[in-house]
Structure formats: structure tokens, C-alpha cells
Amino acid sequence: MRVNLHETWHIGPVEIPSRLVLAPMAGVSVQAFRRQGRRFGAGLVCSEMVSCAGLQHGNERTLGYLRIAADERPLAVQIFGSDPVVMADAAAMVEEAGADIVDINFGCPVKKVTKTGAGATLLDEPDRACRVVEAVASAVSVPVTVKLRRGLENGSRACLSVGPRLVDAGAASLTLHPRSAKQMYTGAADHALTAELVSLVDVPVVASGDITSRARAHAVLAATGAAAVMVGRAAQGNPWALQEILEGDGVEPSREEVVAELVLFMRETVRELGEHRATGFLKKFYGWYLGRGRFPRAFKAELTQLATISEVEGRLLAAVPGARFVLSRLEETLPQADEVLLDLPISIYGGG
């Protein structure tokens, strides 16, 4: 049966207005990225993973700031760690700050995270994983969700034994990326596992991995019975991918639209992160936005060599003057700065 991607669904009491979820991605999922994702149709957006130890200690070397704006909700804030008490305390801080959902990361494959006993490592420690979920669920009144991989090793089926136990411990939804931690992002996501997990639990399951088109989204939803799909890398510098999945509109954006969205993203990122941190953070986005044959490679390389963001903006608008008019219309749709609801420290290292 073909799923209506515009149909609302729920995680606990939280209503989500489309079946499309924008993934939490470290070094990517800043507020500007999330707000953009909501504008292009994502029903739920997620913060990058927040270090519970960082929240506890306020370590400035690993913390930036998360702001929740009215136009990005509903929002899930994702936390990671391995100590149930610390995780529960961090979850309570996240709820108090205003997040709609607390998501727990049991999927990150990056060594600097797994070596601490967090992320995907917890799939090999199901008892501890369940204690973490139980502690977090007991500490907050908002829904608690879990993002997990299939397991640590290739061919692992750990998610099928651990997943139902996490639900029993208090998880209101599960997101499965059916690659192993060892695979990282190589090979293909095995959504046969997603279908098996759906059959084992009575909460919504979100299918993550290789969702790159409307056809693929429908195929995965039909084959798995999942409640929604999660889009990650396909949306990096390409919010039009979300629109294509929801609407079937595969029309390539104009150069004016591309530049306007990039400049808006740059301005919003500077507002959030500050000029200094944003300068390095944004460099990867130039290639993501301007790639896919949209602009010459030499132009993308030129932008990364410019010293300031204002120089980058000036070069972009000089190259495509008509983008100014598109940008002006976009900025008129955004809420004013006083609609920001929250400042909260957020981890900026690792990812999964």
C-alpha cells in the first residue's frame, strides 16, 4: 500500500506533520539546517548529538550552542553517553530547555564516541542500554526515542534483540539505520532488517539509510511497514531533495534559488555560531550547494579560499545578481530573532 508522505503521525503525544524526518548529523544539523529542513517539508528535525558529559561540565572545547526557534518544531534533541544517571540528568536539562523529544544515540560508529562506551557500542551491552533508556524515560515527560544501527559487526542482527527491550524500557519510537558500525556509510542499508524490527515492536519505527528519492522512500515504506523515513546525506546542501521526496517535483533549482538558499544559510549560521566558528564550518557547504553540476568546480574552490564570509557572500551575489530578489523573499518568511526560545550547549564532535 502506498503511504501518503503528507499524512500526520505521532510519537507519543507529539504530532508530526509529515512522514519525512531530517536526520541528526554531527557538524551539519545546526539550527539553520533544521529550519531549512522544516521549510522544505521535513515533519521532524533533529539536533546533532549532544554530549551528556559536555552538558554536565560545560566544556567549551566541545560545546557550541543550540537554539530552538518556533519554526523548527517539532524538534528532537539527541543525546549520547553511557552512564544512566548522567544521561538522565542531561535529558532533564533538554526537556526543561524546550525540546519536544529526547532522542538517544545508540548508532554512532565514530571511534572517539564508541571508545567511551557510547553510541553503537551499547548494542553489545543491551543491559546497560536498557538502563540508559529506563533512566532517561523516568527523568522526562516528553517522549524518548532511540536511533540505532544493526550492530557493531557486519551481518549483526543485534538490533532485533535489543530493539524490543528498549521499547520495554520506555522508548516511544525507534529509528534503524541497518548498516553495521563497522560499515560506517559503505555498502547498502539492509531494510529487510527494518521490516523485521517493525514486526517485533508496537511503536513507530523510522527507516534510515539510502533514502535519496521519492521512489526509494515509497519502496522502503511499502516493504518495511515503517512509520516514516529519515533523510540524511541526501539533504546536505540540497534541501530540494526533501521537496522531491514529498512532492515528486524533480525540477532542478535555478542558480538564483541555490545561491539565495546558501546565502541565507550562511547568514543564519553566523547568527548562531558567530563569525569565527562559522567561517570554517561553512566551507564544506559551498561544495554541497554548488555541486551536482550547478556551478563550475573552480568557482567552488575559489570560495573556500576567501578569508571572510562577507567576501564569500559578495562573490556569490556578484556571480548571480538575481539571487538578491529570491533572498529578500526568503528572509521575509523567517521569524524575528526574538522568537528564539532556547540556548543550550551542544556537542560538535563525532557523528552518526
Side-chain angles (χ1 to χ4, degrees), residues 205-223:
V205 174
V206 179
S208 173
D210 301 343
I211 308 299
T212 56
S213 68
R214 181 176 175 85
R216 182 61 178 158
H218 278 298
V220 169
L221 288 171

Side-chain angles (χ1 to χ4, degrees), residues 13-153:
V14 178
E15 182 176 271
I16 301 170
S18 80
R19 302 274 172 167
L20 187 60
V21 181
L22 188 61
M25 291 178 283
V28 176
S29 298
V30 292
Q31 186 190 78
F33 183 78
R34 302 191 305 268
R35 295 175 80 188
Q36 182 186 68
R38 288 287 289 122
R39 280 195 292 114
F40 278 83
L44 177 66
V45 295
C46 309
S47 77
E48 61 182 293
M49 60 181 189
V50 180
S51 165
C52 290
L55 286 178
Q56 185 180 48
H57 298 114
N59 185 335
E60 291 299 328
R61 292 187 62 187
T62 59
L63 299 180
Y65 290 94
L66 169 67
R67 294 179 176 91
I68 296 177
D71 60 341
E72 64 179 305
R73 302 181 73 174
L75 170 73
V77 171
Q78 187 183 80
I79 60 176
F80 79 96
S82 59
D83 184 296
V85 174
V86 175
M87 291 282 277
D89 290 344
M93 292 172 62
V94 166
E95 179 184 25
E96 185 178 2
D100 300 292
I101 293 169
V102 176
D103 186 59
I104 301 174
N105 184 309
F106 288 165
C108 181
V110 176
K111 187 174 181 180
K112 67 175 68 175
V113 172
T114 58
K115 72 180 182 182
T116 68
T121 302
L122 284 160
L123 296 174
D124 268 10
E125 294 187 60
D127 291 341
R128 178 184 286 271
C130 290
R131 290 198 299 273
V132 166
V133 172
E134 185 174 8
V136 169
S138 297
V140 298
S141 60
V142 297
V144 174
T145 61
V146 179
K147 187 170 189 282
L148 64 161
R149 287 193 171 228
R150 67 180 300 161
L152 289 177
E153 299 296 326

Side-chain angles (χ1 to χ4, degrees), residues 39-321:
R39 280 195 292 114
F40 278 83
L44 177 66
V45 295
C46 309
S47 77
E48 61 182 293
M49 60 181 189
V50 180
S51 165
C52 290
L55 286 178
Q56 185 180 48
H57 298 114
N59 185 335
E60 291 299 328
R61 292 187 62 187
T62 59
L63 299 180
Y65 290 94
L66 169 67
R67 294 179 176 91
I68 296 177
D71 60 341
E72 64 179 305
R73 302 181 73 174
L75 170 73
V77 171
Q78 187 183 80
I79 60 176
F80 79 96
S82 59
D83 184 296
V85 174
V86 175
M87 291 282 277
D89 290 344
M93 292 172 62
V94 166
E95 179 184 25
E96 185 178 2
D100 300 292
I101 293 169
V102 176
D103 186 59
I104 301 174
N105 184 309
F106 288 165
C108 181
V110 176
K111 187 174 181 180
K112 67 175 68 175
V113 172
T114 58
K115 72 180 182 182
T116 68
T121 302
L122 284 160
L123 296 174
D124 268 10
E125 294 187 60
D127 291 341
R128 178 184 286 271
C130 290
R131 290 198 299 273
V132 166
V133 172
E134 185 174 8
V136 169
S138 297
V140 298
S141 60
V142 297
V144 174
T145 61
V146 179
K147 187 170 189 282
L148 64 161
R149 287 193 171 228
R150 67 180 300 161
L152 289 177
E153 299 296 326
N154 294 343
S156 172
R157 294 171 59 83
C159 61
L160 300 181
S161 58
V162 178
R165 293 186 60 187
L166 299 179
V167 173
D168 290 342
S173 177
L174 302 174
T175 296
L176 178 61
H177 185 132
R179 284 183 172 92
S180 68
K182 189 174 183 178
Q183 275 182 279
M184 299 288 285
Y185 297 98
T186 63
D190 181 6
H191 283 294
L193 277 177
T194 309
E196 289 189 65
L197 182 61
V198 169
S199 72
L200 294 173
V201 298
D202 59 0
V203 299
V205 174
V206 179
S208 173
D210 301 343
I211 308 299
T212 56
S213 68
R214 181 176 175 85
R216 182 61 178 158
H218 278 298
V220 169
L221 288 171
T224 64
V229 290
M230 177 174 281
V231 177
R233 289 172 291 163
Q236 292 176 346
N238 192 34
W240 300 275
L242 303 176
Q243 187 172 284
E244 188 278 327
I245 290 171
L246 280 171
E247 308 293 346
D249 178 8
V251 177
E252 179 68 13
S254 68
R255 287 161 60 92
E256 288 78 11
E257 289 172 315
V258 171
V259 169
E261 285 291 346
L262 174 53
V263 172
L264 178 62
F265 183 82
M266 290 161 54
R267 290 178 179 179
E268 290 292 293
T269 301
V270 170
R271 179 186 62 79
E272 181 182 359
L273 303 182
E275 181 88 20
H276 177 72
R277 183 178 157 199
T279 299
F281 173 86
L282 285 166
K283 287 183 183 295
K284 57 182 174 285
F285 285 90
Y286 304 152
W288 287 343
Y289 274 89
L290 305 179
R292 301 175 177 86
R294 293 168 181 165
F295 287 81
R297 183 173 299 178
F299 182 65
K300 295 181 288 181
E302 176 189 345
L303 296 183
T304 64
Q305 300 305 310
L306 296 176
T308 67
I309 292 174
S310 62
E311 288 180 275
V312 174
E313 178 176 325
R315 183 69 183 91
L316 285 165
L317 295 176
V320 188

